[in-house]
Amino acid sequence: MGEQQHVKFPQEVIAEYAALGVDLPALFSAGHLGTRMGVEIVEASAERVVGTMPVEGNTQPYGLLHGGASAVLAETLGSVGSMLHAGSSKIAVGVDLNCTHHRGARSGLVTGVATPLHRGRSTATYEIAISDEEGHRVCTARLTCLLRDVNASDATTLRTLG
C-alpha cells in the first residue's frame, strides 16, 4: 500500500499483528488512493490517529482544497482508529461519513486528528478535525465503521497486504 514506516503504533498492537504474520505499518498505510493524494499517517492508536495531506494536487477548480479530499483524509484516519480499536479479529468497514467544510485551504498541509466518540463491539465512531497549518479548522468529519469478524478470505488478504 503506502510507505508509512514512520508511523508510531503502540508496541503491544504491533506484536499482536506480527504474531499473525501481518506487518501493521504496511497494513495501516493510507492505501492506494491515500498514497496518490499524499496522505501520511504519523501517529496511530485506538485513542488518536493523526495524518497529513498536501493541499497541492488535491484542489477543486477554484484552487481550494477539494471537499472529497478532506473526506478521503477523514475516512482514512477514522478507519485506522476503528481497526486498532477492533483488534486483529475484526475488520472495520465504513458505513457513514459526514463532513462539514468550514473554510477553504489553498496551500500547505492539512492535518487531521481522529478521536473516538464511540467504541463498541460492533461499531466505532470517530470525529476527525482537519486543520490548516495556522490551526484553523477546515473540516469536521464523523465516521462510523461496522466492526465485523474476519473471515477466511479476509485473513488471507491481510497476510498478503502485511
Side-chain angles (χ1 to χ4, degrees):
M1 285 186 160
E3 295 185 26
Q4 303 294 326
Q5 284 72 15
H6 61 282
V7 179
K8 297 179 219 165
F9 288 99
Q11 190 57 46
E12 65 274 9
V13 175
I14 292 173
E16 176 185 353
Y17 282 84
L20 300 171
V22 175
D23 176 0
L24 187 66
L27 176 63
F28 288 116
S29 71
H32 298 293
L33 176 61
T35 298
R36 279 195 300 274
M37 296 179 71
V39 172
E40 291 191 27
I41 301 170
V42 296
E43 177 187 333
S45 72
E47 291 76 32
R48 177 180 156 97
V49 182
V50 179
T52 62
M53 180 180 66
V55 173
E56 185 177 338
N58 294 314
T59 58
Q60 39 89 310
Y62 297 115
L64 298 170
L65 178 64
H66 195 291
S70 293
V72 167
L73 178 60
E75 184 149 358
T76 299
L77 301 178
S79 293
V80 168
S82 295
M83 288 290 288
L84 290 171
H85 159 66
S88 60
S89 65
K90 295 196 180 258
I91 289 186
V93 180
V95 294
D96 182 62
L97 176 64
N98 172 286
C99 298
T100 300
H101 306 287
H102 305 293
R103 66 184 304 144
R106 292 189 177 276
S107 62
L109 283 178
V110 290
T111 300
V113 179
T115 54
L117 296 174
H118 165 76
R119 291 185 294 174
R121 288 178 291 156
S122 60
T123 63
T125 302
Y126 279 75
E127 177 182 70
I128 304 93
I130 301 174
S131 302
D132 63 18
E133 291 178 321
E134 289 78 41
H136 299 119
R137 190 169 295 207
V138 173
C139 175
T140 301
R142 186 189 68 244
L143 174 71
T144 298
C145 289
L146 173 68
L147 307 177
R148 65 174 180 79
D149 291 334
V150 172
N151 62 39
S153 66
D154 294 330
T156 301
T157 302
L158 290 173
R159 280 192 289 282
T160 303
L161 294 174

